[in-house]
Amino acid sequence: MTTPAPTPVNLDLNNIQGDILSGFPKKTETFYFFQILDPTKFRKDLHDFVPIIKTVAQVLKDREEIDKHRKKKDPSGRKPPTIPLVGVNIAFSHLGFTKLGIDDTKLIDQANQGTSTGFLDGQRKDAQSLGDRGAVQGTDFVPDWDEEFKQDIHGVLNIAGDSHAIVDRKVQLIEQCFKVGTKDATIKKVTSIRGDTRPGDQDGHEHFGYLDGISNPAIIGFDKNPPPGPAPVRAGVILLGQDGDLRKDQRDPWQVDGSFLAFRLLFQRVPEFDEFVFANRLQLPGLSDKEGADLFGARLVGRWKSGAPLDLSPFFDDPDLARDESRRNNFHFSAERNFQKLCPFAAHIRKTLPRADLEENGISIEKNRIMRRGIQFGPEVTRRERQNKKTEHGRGLLFACYQSNLSTGFQFIQKSWANNPNFPPFEQTPETPGLDPIIGQNGQDDRGPVSGVNPNTPSITVALKEEWVVSRGGEYFFSPSIKALKETIGLAA
Ligand code: HEM
């Protein structure tokens, strides 16, 4: 499948919030959810706050600094310490724009016209259809979310940096800017959540142990030499009003260069997941118990813990492949489009980016690409938790992703792919894939059977009797351009 020919890209990197295209370099990140108190005064404070926001151009500079710093020779041979850097971005929910009296009706989503459960309705209304747990009370579905996320949230600030100290100082500065805690406060904190990358050799790995952040879309005209992998996408897949945004011509001018941010608070039940993986370890000739468990786990994700993809290394982990940027994302599931000997259909990375499974049927997946920017939260698993095989401390992923259409991006991936046992649909194969074992959900414990877990007999299924990823909150936000923040949302004093 070929991507439509792009028009020449001329992105204004000083106008786009930094996390969207370049991703903040970070060891830690605080998500600060707030309500707006006095709209007019807030808009004035926002105007003064805008210079604090880091743009794509500034993040690129930060990254250059980091590269230079890493190349510096340390005579002791030790890794040089990180350099103090911090980045701040801001985004608003529909409730936020409503409170500010800003018309955001053009932020309607491609597929949601009429039946909207997208940005304009907010994520709480979408929770049931995302498969989150909850109960029907009267005519309402009330998700089993943390109380904070059941309140109205008007906006979120994300502050990322290399240490708690630098991030905390920035949070203080932001609170001063909006006079938080004083009688003149223009915002009120609803909750803030701190995420941290994991320690030591687990840096970059999510809590189940798999290397994350490998595959994000390369943007045509922005990413100069992307490593080989899925086709690069047009900027408008992520940014509103650019070529590739499905509603490009219907956006208001102030919405151009903004992006929708889907945030999800996802808890991970790590000891329980590990127990499931060990109990179902593959008992194949020549494999130890540990190797059998590692292989079974890799088949749930589609990559080994190192990051090496099953499609290229189906039976044994290959850490060299995992480190090699020119190879580790360069696969398409095409060698086995109708089979699941190499990688199960339901594996997390095949469900969330089916590559040739759809492209070879002439279906473009460009519109379904998302820019993932999450971070882990919570402590490492304790010895006691490991012994008792039971989670006692909250940990997981602060999932965040950017896209120009929620209905073809995050919502579509979660609802139509991960939660759909019949996806990907094949005529020639007898096996039903089952739900994505990592994030697929249907509001119940019993998530049904998943096939393809045993490479030799893909028809053998394993029952998913519980969830290891549990959603406890979230919201849909819009992350505006710098120009919009200055001229439309902010007010000069
Ligand atoms: C706690 C929950 C989650 C965990 C543990 C998790 C874990 C992972 C891991 C280990 C990878 C492979 C590394 C990489 O390719 O970057 C990955 C890739 C990916 N995940 Fe997740 N993920 C989670 C939630 C989600 C959610 C909620 C979505 C979207 C609905 C999602 C969408 C994706 C996508 C699009 C990819 C890249 C696929 C590719 O390009 O090959 N993930 N995830």
Side-chain angles (χ1 to χ4, degrees):
M1 180 74 207
T2 49
T3 304
T7 50
V9 191
N10 194 7
L11 294 177
D12 179 356
L13 303 185
N14 291 305
N15 193 35
I16 304 163
Q17 295 204 54
D19 202 27
I20 302 174
L21 292 190
S22 16
F24 287 142
K26 64 193 174 201
K27 289 275 168 213
T28 178
E29 179 167 25
T30 292
F31 286 84
Y32 187 107
F33 301 90
F34 63 86
Q35 281 175 0
I36 297 162
L37 298 173
D38 180 314
T40 309
K41 287 186 183 154
F42 170 80
R43 291 176 72 178
K44 288 184 181 151
D45 285 350
L46 181 70
H47 191 267
D48 298 339
F49 164 80
V50 172
I52 297 179
I53 294 172
K54 212 159 238 188
T55 63
V56 173
Q58 288 165 329
V59 176
L60 291 179
K61 264 203 192 125
D62 283 358
R63 289 197 172 276
E64 266 173 35
E65 287 281 302
I66 295 172
D67 281 350
K68 262 195 243 152
H69 181 75
R70 282 202 184 125
K71 283 182 194 135
K72 272 188 202 150
K73 286 233 160 67
D74 181 339
S76 69
R78 273 177 314 204
K79 245 176 140 181
T82 54
I83 38 177
L85 285 172
V86 62
V88 179
N89 276 182
I90 190 167
F92 297 91
S93 67
H94 169 64
L95 293 175
F97 285 126
T98 308
K99 177 93 185 180
L100 293 174
I102 290 173
D103 177 6
D104 64 351
T105 42
K106 297 262 180 68
L107 291 179
I108 192 163
D109 220 80
Q110 179 60 16
N112 285 340
Q113 301 164 62
T115 58
S116 172
T117 52
F119 177 76
L120 297 183
D121 275 342
Q123 199 179 107
R124 206 185 133 187
K125 268 206 187 150
D126 202 21
Q128 187 171 21
S129 105
L130 288 169
D132 287 1
R133 301 292 189 100
V136 177
Q137 290 177 12
T139 52
D140 266 1
F141 174 82
V142 181
D144 290 347
W145 283 7
D146 289 3
E147 284 309 313
E148 293 86 346
F149 286 93
K150 293 188 194 163
Q151 297 181 35
D152 290 355
I153 293 176
H154 294 159
V156 62
L157 290 141
N158 57 318
I159 306 107
D162 67 302
S163 70
H164 287 175
I166 198 168
V167 167
D168 292 350
R169 272 203 302 277
K170 203 55 139 189
V171 171
Q172 270 176 11
L173 184 86
I174 294 167
E175 290 190 327
Q176 277 166 19
C177 191
F178 295 106
K179 308 178 189 84
V180 175
T182 74
K183 63 175 180 23
D184 299 320
T186 57
I187 64 171
K188 182 178 114 184
K189 174 160 96 173
V190 176
T191 185
S192 70
I193 313 177
R194 195 199 296 279
D196 287 304
T197 56
R198 294 184 55 212
D201 66 358
Q202 290 303 296
D203 187 8
H205 295 243
E206 51 69 47
H207 273 289
F208 294 142
Y210 298 86
L211 185 64
D212 204 353
I214 301 171
S215 181
N216 261 328
I219 306 289
I220 297 167
F222 174 70
D223 289 294
K224 299 287 180 268
N225 290 307
V233 304
R234 291 168 296 166
V237 170
I238 307 298
L239 297 171
L240 274 70
Q242 296 288 348
D243 189 29
D245 171 7
L246 299 172
R247 295 183 62 79
K248 178 178 179 226
D249 299 329
Q250 288 116 298
R251 304 296 190 189
D252 281 334
W254 70 268
Q255 295 163 352
V256 172
D257 282 352
S259 187
F260 289 109
L261 164 62
F263 176 86
R264 300 274 284 165
L265 174 61
L266 300 176
F267 281 75
Q268 288 176 256
R269 301 171 62 234
V270 179
E272 291 83 350
F273 175 81
D274 286 349
E275 173 58 9
F276 172 77
V277 169
F278 191 76
N280 288 287
R281 65 194 175 278
L282 290 164
Q283 296 177 356
L284 303 178
L287 290 190
S288 67
D289 279 354
K290 182 180 176 306
E291 286 167 339
D294 285 350
L295 176 57
F296 180 78
R299 292 191 71 80
L300 304 182
V301 175
R303 289 188 187 268
W304 296 87
K305 285 188 173 170
S306 68
L310 278 187
D311 205 50
L312 301 180
S313 184
F315 291 106
F316 294 97
D317 192 2
D318 182 348
D320 288 338
L321 166 63
R323 279 188 290 269
D324 185 346
E325 289 197 4
S326 69
R327 291 193 292 146
R328 65 183 185 180
N329 209 19
N330 193 14
F331 59 92
H332 303 275
F333 306 123
S334 46
E336 56 145 13
R337 192 157 69 73
N338 291 329
F339 304 97
Q340 39 185 355
K341 234 178 154 32
L342 301 178
C343 182
F345 297 138
H348 178 60
I349 65 158
R350 194 163 181 177
K351 278 277 192 187
T352 54
L353 191 70
R355 306 186 186 209
D357 288 341
L358 295 187
E359 287 172 326
E360 283 186 358
N361 281 331
I363 301 167
S364 168
I365 52 170
E366 191 196 30
K367 62 185 176 311
N368 308 116
R369 306 294 308 275
I370 55 176
M371 197 62 94
R372 289 175 301 131
R373 298 291 184 221
I375 189 163
Q376 293 68 51
F377 73 93
E380 294 295 293
V381 173
T382 62
R383 188 183 298 177
R384 202 176 110 129
E385 288 179 291
R386 225 168 253 306
Q387 267 165 5
N388 297 342
K389 298 170 184 153
K390 197 166 166 28
T391 298
E392 291 176 15
H393 307 280
R395 61 177 66 79
L397 178 66
L398 305 177
F399 177 86
C401 71
Y402 294 98
Q403 60 258 275
S404 63
N405 276 272
L406 287 162
S407 61
T408 52
F410 165 73
Q411 290 180 304
F412 195 82
I413 295 175
Q414 182 71 54
K415 297 180 193 183
S416 302
W417 289 351
N419 294 355
N420 176 359
N422 299 313
F423 181 84
F426 291 120
E427 278 151 25
Q428 292 107 314
T429 179
E431 296 114 26
T432 302
L435 263 60
D436 175 333
I438 305 297
I439 61 160
Q441 47 180 28
N442 55 9
Q444 298 160 22
D445 268 342
D446 186 354
R447 295 188 291 146
V450 63
S451 70
V453 283
N454 186 324
N456 292 336
T457 324
S459 55
I460 293 178
T461 60
V462 166
L464 303 172
K465 290 278 182 211
E466 54 184 315
E467 288 174 339
W468 303 289
V469 171
V470 181
S471 155
R472 300 233 310 244
E475 184 52 291
Y476 298 134
F477 298 98
F478 180 68
S479 182
S481 70
I482 303 296
K483 193 166 180 286
L485 286 165
K486 271 194 210 148
E487 296 173 10
T488 308
I489 308 170
L491 279 180

Coordinates of all heavy atoms in Angstrom, one line a residue, residues 206 208 210-216 230 264 266 268 301 303 329 331 348-349 352-353 355 369-370 372 397 399 410 413-414 438-439 469, ligand 1:
E206 N 9.0 -1.1 30.2 CA 7.8 -0.9 30.9 C 7.8 -1.9 32.1 O 8.7 -2.7 32.2 CB 6.5 -0.9 30.1 CG 6.4 -2.1 29.1 CD 6.2 -3.3 29.8 OE1 5.3 -3.3 30.7 OE2 6.8 -4.3 29.6
F208 N 6.2 -4.6 32.9 CA 6.3 -6.1 32.6 C 7.7 -6.5 32.2 O 8.0 -7.7 32.1 CB 5.3 -6.5 31.6 CG 3.8 -6.4 32.0 CD1 2.9 -5.9 31.0 CD2 3.4 -6.6 33.3 CE1 1.5 -5.8 31.4 CE2 2.0 -6.5 33.6 CZ 1.1 -6.0 32.7
Y210 N 9.3 -5.3 29.2 CA 9.6 -5.2 27.8 C 10.1 -3.8 27.4 O 9.5 -2.8 27.9 CB 8.4 -5.6 27.0 CG 7.9 -7.0 27.3 CD1 7.1 -7.3 28.3 CD2 8.4 -8.1 26.5 CE1 6.8 -8.6 28.6 CE2 8.1 -9.4 26.8 CZ 7.3 -9.7 27.9 OH 7.0 -10.9 28.2
L211 N 11.1 -3.8 26.5 CA 11.6 -2.5 26.1 C 10.5 -1.8 25.4 O 9.8 -2.3 24.5 CB 12.8 -2.6 25.2 CG 13.5 -1.3 24.7 CD1 14.1 -0.6 25.9 CD2 14.6 -1.6 23.7
D212 N 10.2 -0.5 25.7 CA 9.1 0.3 25.1 C 9.7 1.5 24.3 O 10.9 1.7 24.4 CB 8.2 0.7 26.2 CG 6.8 1.0 25.6 OD1 6.6 0.9 24.4 OD2 5.8 1.2 26.4
G213 N 8.9 2.1 23.6 CA 9.3 3.4 22.9 C 10.2 3.1 21.7 O 11.0 3.9 21.3
I214 N 10.0 1.9 21.1 CA 10.9 1.6 19.9 C 10.2 2.1 18.6 O 10.8 2.8 17.8 CB 11.0 0.1 19.8 CG1 11.7 -0.5 21.0 CG2 11.8 -0.3 18.5 CD1 11.7 -2.1 21.0
S215 N 8.9 1.9 18.5 CA 8.2 2.1 17.2 C 7.2 3.3 17.3 O 6.2 3.1 17.9 CB 7.5 0.9 16.7 OG 6.9 1.1 15.5
N216 N 7.6 4.4 16.8 CA 6.7 5.6 16.7 C 6.8 6.0 15.2 O 7.8 5.8 14.6 CB 7.2 6.7 17.6 CG 6.4 6.8 18.9 OD1 5.2 6.5 18.9 ND2 7.0 7.2 19.9
P230 N 8.0 0.7 9.3 CA 6.8 1.1 8.7 C 6.9 2.4 7.9 O 7.7 3.3 8.3 CB 5.8 1.3 9.9 CG 6.4 0.5 11.0 CD 7.9 0.6 10.8
R264 N -4.2 8.1 29.5 CA -4.8 7.0 30.2 C -3.9 6.6 31.4 O -2.7 6.5 31.3 CB -4.8 5.7 29.3 CG -5.6 5.9 28.1 CD -7.1 5.6 28.3 NE -7.4 4.2 28.3 CZ -8.6 3.8 28.8 NH1 -9.5 4.6 29.3 NH2 -8.8 2.5 28.8
L266 N -3.0 3.8 33.5 CA -3.1 2.3 33.3 C -2.2 1.6 34.4 O -1.0 1.7 34.4 CB -2.6 1.9 31.9 CG -3.4 2.5 30.8 CD1 -2.8 2.0 29.4 CD2 -4.8 2.0 30.8
Q268 N -0.6 -1.7 36.2 CA -0.1 -3.0 35.7 C 0.0 -3.9 36.9 O 0.7 -3.6 37.9 CB 1.2 -2.9 35.0 CG 1.1 -2.2 33.6 CD 2.4 -2.0 32.9 OE1 2.9 -0.8 32.9 NE2 3.0 -3.0 32.4
V301 N 3.4 -10.1 23.6 CA 3.8 -8.8 23.2 C 4.2 -8.6 21.7 O 3.9 -7.6 21.1 CB 5.0 -8.3 24.1 CG1 5.5 -6.9 23.7 CG2 4.6 -8.3 25.6
R303 N 7.3 -8.8 20.9 CA 8.8 -8.6 21.0 C 9.3 -9.3 22.2 O 8.5 -9.4 23.2 CB 9.0 -7.1 21.1 CG 8.8 -6.2 19.9 CD 9.3 -4.8 20.1 NE 8.9 -3.9 19.0 CZ 9.7 -3.7 17.9 NH1 10.9 -4.3 17.8 NH2 9.4 -2.9 17.0
N329 N 13.0 -2.6 13.8 CA 11.6 -2.2 13.4 C 11.3 -2.5 12.0 O 10.3 -2.1 11.5 CB 11.4 -0.7 13.7 CG 9.9 -0.5 14.1 OD1 9.2 -1.4 14.5 ND2 9.5 0.8 14.0
F331 N 10.2 -4.9 9.8 CA 9.5 -6.1 9.6 C 8.1 -5.7 9.3 O 7.6 -4.6 9.6 CB 9.6 -7.1 10.8 CG 9.0 -6.5 12.0 CD1 7.7 -6.7 12.4 CD2 9.9 -5.7 12.9 CE1 7.2 -6.1 13.6 CE2 9.3 -5.2 14.0 CZ 8.0 -5.4 14.4
H348 N 0.5 -7.9 21.1 CA 0.3 -6.4 21.3 C 0.7 -5.6 20.1 O 0.0 -4.7 19.6 CB 0.9 -6.0 22.6 CG 0.7 -4.5 22.9 ND1 -0.5 -3.9 23.0 CD2 1.6 -3.5 23.1 CE1 -0.4 -2.6 23.3 NE2 0.9 -2.4 23.3
I349 N 1.9 -5.8 19.6 CA 2.4 -4.9 18.6 C 1.8 -5.3 17.2 O 1.8 -4.4 16.3 CB 4.0 -4.9 18.4 CG1 4.5 -6.3 18.0 CG2 4.6 -4.5 19.7 CD1 5.9 -6.1 17.3
T352 N -1.8 -3.5 17.5 CA -1.8 -2.1 17.5 C -1.1 -1.5 16.3 O -1.2 -0.3 16.1 CB -1.1 -1.5 18.8 OG1 0.2 -2.1 18.9 CG2 -1.9 -1.9 20.1
L353 N -0.4 -2.3 15.5 CA 0.1 -1.8 14.2 C 0.2 -3.0 13.3 O 1.3 -3.6 13.2 CB 1.5 -1.1 14.3 CG 1.8 -0.4 13.0 CD1 0.9 0.8 12.8 CD2 3.3 0.1 13.0
R355 N 0.6 -3.6 10.2 CA 1.5 -3.5 9.1 C 0.9 -4.2 7.9 O -0.2 -3.9 7.5 CB 2.9 -4.1 9.5 CG 3.4 -3.4 10.8 CD 4.9 -3.7 11.1 NE 5.2 -3.1 12.4 CZ 6.4 -2.7 12.8 NH1 7.4 -3.0 12.1 NH2 6.5 -2.1 14.0
R369 N -1.9 5.8 12.9 CA -0.6 5.9 13.6 C -0.8 6.9 14.7 O -1.4 8.0 14.6 CB 0.5 6.3 12.7 CG 0.7 5.4 11.4 CD 1.2 4.0 11.7 NE 2.3 3.9 12.6 CZ 3.6 3.9 12.2 NH1 3.9 4.1 10.9 NH2 4.6 3.8 13.0
I370 N -0.1 6.7 15.8 CA -0.2 7.6 17.0 C 1.3 7.8 17.5 O 2.1 6.9 17.3 CB -1.0 7.0 18.2 CG1 -0.5 5.6 18.6 CG2 -2.5 7.0 17.8 CD1 -1.3 5.0 19.8
R372 N 3.4 7.9 20.6 CA 3.3 7.5 22.0 C 4.3 8.2 22.8 O 5.5 8.3 22.5 CB 3.4 6.0 22.2 CG 2.3 5.2 21.6 CD 2.5 3.7 21.7 NE 3.7 3.4 20.9 CZ 4.6 2.6 21.3 NH1 4.6 2.1 22.6 NH2 5.7 2.3 20.6
L397 N 1.6 2.4 33.8 CA 2.0 3.3 32.6 C 1.1 4.5 32.6 O -0.1 4.4 32.6 CB 1.9 2.5 31.3 CG 2.2 3.2 30.0 CD1 3.7 3.6 30.0 CD2 1.9 2.3 28.8
F399 N 0.0 6.4 30.2 CA 0.0 6.3 28.7 C -0.5 7.7 28.1 O -1.5 8.3 28.6 CB -1.0 5.2 28.3 CG -1.2 5.1 26.8 CD1 -0.3 4.3 26.0 CD2 -2.2 5.8 26.1 CE1 -0.4 4.2 24.7 CE2 -2.3 5.7 24.7 CZ -1.4 4.9 24.0
F410 N -6.0 6.7 18.8 CA -6.2 5.9 20.0 C -7.5 5.1 20.1 O -7.5 3.9 20.4 CB -6.0 6.8 21.3 CG -6.5 6.2 22.5 CD1 -5.7 5.2 23.1 CD2 -7.7 6.5 23.1 CE1 -6.1 4.5 24.2 CE2 -8.1 5.8 24.2 CZ -7.4 4.8 24.8
I413 N -7.6 2.1 17.7 CA -6.6 1.1 18.1 C -7.2 0.3 19.3 O -7.2 -1.0 19.3 CB -5.3 1.6 18.4 CG1 -4.6 2.3 17.2 CG2 -4.3 0.6 19.0 CD1 -3.3 3.0 17.4
Q414 N -7.7 1.0 20.3 CA -8.2 0.3 21.5 C -9.5 -0.5 21.2 O -9.6 -1.7 21.6 CB -8.4 1.3 22.6 CG -8.9 0.7 23.9 CD -7.8 -0.1 24.7 OE1 -6.7 0.5 24.9 NE2 -8.0 -1.3 25.0
I438 N -2.4 -7.9 26.2 CA -1.8 -6.9 27.1 C -2.9 -5.8 27.4 O -3.2 -5.6 28.6 CB -0.6 -6.2 26.5 CG1 0.5 -7.2 26.1 CG2 0.0 -5.1 27.4 CD1 1.1 -8.0 27.3
I439 N -3.5 -5.2 26.4 CA -4.4 -4.1 26.7 C -5.9 -4.4 26.2 O -6.7 -3.5 26.5 CB -4.0 -2.8 26.0 CG1 -3.9 -3.0 24.5 CG2 -2.6 -2.3 26.6 CD1 -3.9 -1.6 23.7
V469 N -3.6 -5.3 32.8 CA -3.6 -3.8 32.7 C -5.0 -3.3 33.0 O -6.0 -3.7 32.4 CB -3.2 -3.4 31.3 CG1 -3.3 -1.9 31.0 CG2 -1.7 -3.8 31.0
Ligands
HEM1 C1 0.3 -0.8 30.3 C2 -0.1 -0.8 29.0 C3 0.8 -1.0 27.9 C4 2.0 -1.7 27.8 C5 2.7 -2.5 29.0 C6 2.5 -1.6 26.5 C7 3.7 -2.1 26.0 C8 4.2 -2.0 24.8 C9 5.5 -2.5 24.3 C10 6.4 -3.3 25.2 C11 5.6 -2.2 23.0 C12 6.8 -2.5 22.1 C13 7.8 -1.4 22.0 C14 7.6 -0.5 20.8 O1 7.3 -0.9 19.7 O2 7.7 0.7 21.1 C15 4.4 -1.4 22.6 C16 4.2 -0.9 21.4 C17 3.0 -0.2 21.0 N1 1.9 0.0 21.8 FE1 1.7 -0.5 23.8 N2 1.6 -0.8 25.8 C18 0.6 -0.5 26.6 C19 -0.5 0.3 26.2 C20 -0.8 0.7 25.0 C21 -2.1 1.4 24.6 C22 -3.2 1.8 25.5 C23 -2.0 1.5 23.2 C24 -3.0 2.2 22.3 C25 -4.3 2.0 22.4 C26 -0.7 1.0 22.8 C27 -0.3 1.1 21.5 C28 1.0 0.7 21.1 C29 1.5 0.9 19.7 C30 0.8 1.6 18.6 C31 2.8 0.3 19.7 C32 3.7 0.3 18.5 C33 3.4 -0.8 17.6 C34 4.4 -0.8 16.4 O3 4.6 0.3 15.9 O4 5.0 -1.9 16.1 N3 -0.1 0.5 23.8 N4 3.6 -1.3 23.7

